Amino acid sequence: MKYLLDTDHLSVLQRQTGKDYSNLATRMAHHPLSDFVVSIVTFHEQMLGCHAFKLEYRQTLILTQND
């Protein structure tokens, strides 16, 4: 059986803290990693978030260098 992880699941797994993480990690531990998949939509949302983070970092870096 395959389990589809959405963006919220991935966010919880990335934080690796809190009750939601503990619950999800415990449930996932009962299955092989190969049973878990993500959709192209979730992948795209993750890439958008990564791009936004990099852009914000770059803008902060430029602003601090101009001081």
Side-chain angles (χ1 to χ4, degrees):
M1 176 181 261
K2 297 289 184 184
Y3 299 95
L4 179 65
L5 301 177
D6 68 8
T7 305
D8 292 336
H9 290 115
L10 288 185
S11 295
V12 167
L13 292 171
Q14 288 170 333
R15 279 193 296 273
Q16 295 186 357
T17 60
K19 185 174 172 76
D20 289 338
Y21 172 74
S22 296
N23 290 340
L24 185 56
T26 300
R27 294 181 92 179
M28 288 179 70
H30 298 340
H31 306 279
L33 286 179
S34 60
D35 282 355
F36 298 96
V37 297
V38 297
S39 71
I40 191 67
V41 173
T42 297
F43 176 77
H44 181 68
E45 289 174 343
Q46 289 286 305
M47 294 306 295
L48 287 176
C50 181
H51 180 70
F53 181 80
K54 286 173 49 177
L55 183 60
E56 183 179 328
Y57 175 77
R58 186 180 314 158
Q59 289 172 341
T60 301
L61 200 59
I62 289 169
L63 289 173
T64 58
Q65 288 177 351
N66 290 335
D67 287 342

